[in-house]
Amino acid sequence: MYRVKTYNQIAARGLELFPADAFRVGAEVAAPDAILLRSHVLTPGDLGQGVRAVARAGAGVNNIPVGDCTERGVVVFNTPGANANSVKELTIAALLLGSRDVIGSMDYVKTLSNVADDQTMHDLVEGEKRRFKGQELFARTLGVLGLGNVGSQVARAALDLGMRVIGFDPALSVDAAWRIPSEIQRMEDARSLFSQSDYVTVHIPSLPTTQRLINDDALRAFRRGAVLLNFARQEVVDEDDIAAALVDGTLSAYFSDFPSTKLAKLDNAHATPHLGASTVEAEENCAVMAAEQLRDFLSFGNIRNSVNFPDVNLELSFGYRLAVANRNVAGTLGQVLSVLADDNVNVIDMINKSRENVAYNLIDIEQPPTPSMTERINAIDSVINLRVFDAPGQPV
């Protein structure tokens, strides 16, 4: 029986996907084979000897020690796109709030709670409403930095609002390119996007190359009075530089999902408390995707949506399966196959893929592997770990 330890509250729809006769799942599970979490910060010490996979019900994995996991052959999964619609809707809400002073006008109306009659109320609001006059989004320019799952959806929604949409993504994948509406004008670089945008929305991951990407130098390229929206990651902006830009008028407003002590006192900085994926639908979608990926990996060795190992899928027909994780060193697969040949084991099917410094192999064989065979494979210097399955997908 496989053991999956959970952190955080995982939606029931996801947990229901683990068959009770083959999986034990819960927060109290000891000696787990896998870990399923959301925002819990995992440490290398949380990775017990038997852990083979970690799945995050969400897109970002900055709360997981991915490097340590890779070194130990632990596959890390995320759920790209599962919460994209939820983040998109929150971004569009911020976009609307950035064009009309809805927050300020509502706060003003609340100050009138002691007004005695409707006519007085009417006269007061008619006299003061000019203070809250905004502008329409129609025909304004939205710059979308990052055109992945969320950015492409935000771009499409902005087009539906009648906006001109421009975009830039230096790491645009082929799949993502297919999702982008043809009406979006592609920019050559981020600075050209900033200089043409009335509103800029950021949808990029937090990487060494993207952290503090929106800094004083980048802000010099912004149109004066632009609105900046960041519902991606807190680290992709320099908050000291954002604060200065809000004070001197370079930015008229900053909306984010990341409350900050540096920005909390500024009236034109607005933050939601990490609500990007906080919808029933997003939590369920992420839980379902994470559970499906863990179940398929633990049961059959297949990998889908890993951030540190290649995607590998091989249908299991009959016989036995070896799943070998190894450092990406020339000759490793040959050594594994030599062990099988020495024992006259017939290979039915196999697949081998690599990703940066690691590789992963699924090898289906006719005969059950002997203890001697598995010992010799594990003894190969570049092999990180070996798992063995029988035909139904249960470990041997």
Side-chain angles (χ1 to χ4, degrees):
M1 178 171 286
Y2 296 110
R3 298 174 300 280
V4 179
K5 181 177 180 60
T6 60
Y7 292 91
N8 311 119
Q9 189 72 29
I10 306 297
R13 273 192 60 201
L15 299 180
E16 290 167 358
L17 296 176
F18 293 107
D21 61 341
F23 290 83
R24 184 184 173 195
V25 183
E28 304 304 320
V29 169
D33 300 292
I35 292 171
L36 175 58
L37 50 73
R38 289 173 59 199
S39 58
H40 175 81
V41 178
L42 204 67
T43 68
D46 295 323
L47 300 172
Q49 191 65 33
V51 172
R52 290 292 175 262
V54 176
R56 165 130 204 276
V61 291
N62 53 320
N63 58 321
I64 299 171
V66 177
D68 292 277
C69 288
T70 304
E71 189 67 25
R72 297 173 54 171
V74 176
V75 180
V76 179
F77 297 93
N78 68 345
T79 58
N83 60 11
N85 187 71
S86 178
V87 179
K88 175 207 76 176
E89 291 185 356
L90 188 60
T91 303
I92 294 300
L95 189 61
L96 292 165
L97 292 174
S99 65
R100 308 283 289 274
D101 189 8
V102 176
I103 297 172
S105 64
M106 286 181 171
D107 287 343
Y108 164 69
V109 171
K110 287 181 180 179
T111 67
L112 306 178
S113 60
N114 294 326
V115 174
D117 63 273
D118 287 339
Q119 185 58 51
T120 303
M121 175 79 75
H122 173 77
D123 293 341
L124 285 169
V125 298
E126 284 299 314
E128 293 294 325
K129 69 180 184 181
R130 66 175 66 90
R131 289 201 288 130
F132 308 107
K133 184 170 66 175
Q135 63 184 22
E136 295 185 7
L137 292 175
F138 185 84
R140 303 283 178 177
T141 299
L142 173 67
V144 183
L145 181 60
L147 292 162
N149 288 304
V150 178
S152 60
Q153 290 195 33
V154 170
R156 188 179 299 276
L159 288 171
D160 291 340
L161 291 170
M163 300 188 76
R164 171 185 177 237
V165 181
I166 60 178
F168 174 68
D169 191 331
L172 190 65
S173 68
V174 174
D175 288 342
W178 279 105
R179 292 193 297 267
I180 300 173
S182 59
E183 300 93 329
I184 296 176
Q185 182 181 350
R186 294 279 300 279
M187 295 289 102
E188 292 299 320
D189 53 47
R191 294 184 72 85
S192 60
L193 180 141
F194 299 151
S195 67
Q196 296 187 42
S197 300
D198 301 301
Y199 303 83
V200 173
T201 181
V202 181
H203 301 287
I204 55 177
S206 176
L207 303 170
T209 54
T210 63
Q211 290 173 6
R212 294 180 174 79
L213 182 67
I214 310 297
N215 54 22
D216 180 64
D217 180 62
L219 287 163
R220 292 194 191 102
F222 275 61
R223 284 184 175 179
R224 185 164 184 81
V227 175
L228 176 62
L229 297 82
N230 175 20
F231 290 86
R233 287 288 180 268
Q234 186 169 10
E235 299 83 9
V236 301
V237 304
D238 186 310
E239 292 186 335
D240 289 322
D241 292 346
I242 294 294
L246 289 168
V247 171
D248 68 22
T250 300
L251 295 176
S252 63
Y254 176 64
F255 290 82
S256 81
D257 202 21
F258 316 105
S260 162
T261 56
K262 293 180 179 179
L263 301 174
K265 295 180 180 179
L266 296 176
D267 291 338
N268 50 351
H270 310 282
T272 48
H274 302 168
L275 297 182
S278 293
T279 62
V280 172
E281 295 84 356
E283 291 179 2
E284 287 187 346
N285 291 341
C286 289
V288 166
M289 184 182 288
E292 288 176 340
Q293 292 165 178
L294 268 187
R295 184 187 62 193
D296 197 27
F297 174 75
L298 291 174
S299 298
F300 304 105
N302 293 321
I303 298 177
R304 178 167 53 95
N305 291 328
S306 171
V307 301
N308 62 339
F309 273 81
D311 281 4
V312 177
N313 182 74
L314 186 64
E315 292 295 328
L316 182 63
S317 52
F318 66 93
Y320 298 82
R321 167 166 291 183
L322 307 178
V324 183
N326 61 275
R327 285 178 283 278
N328 192 14
V329 177
T332 302
L333 179 58
Q335 294 181 66
V336 173
L337 295 176
S338 292
V339 171
L340 302 182
D342 289 344
D343 285 18
N344 296 314
V345 173
N346 184 44
V347 174
I348 305 169
D349 200 359
M350 65 173 290
I351 185 171
N352 162 260
K353 288 189 177 182
S354 62
R355 179 173 180 174
E356 298 178 355
N357 297 323
V358 294
Y360 188 73
N361 313 269
L362 292 179
I363 306 171
D364 291 349
I365 57 179
E366 286 186 348
Q367 299 97 319
T370 64
S372 172
M373 181 192 305
T374 58
E375 286 175 10
R376 280 177 283 153
I377 293 175
N378 275 316
I380 298 171
D381 286 342
S382 51
V383 168
I384 303 173
N385 61 52
L386 166 68
R387 299 173 65 216
V388 181
F389 310 82
D390 65 9
Q394 292 295 322
V396 173

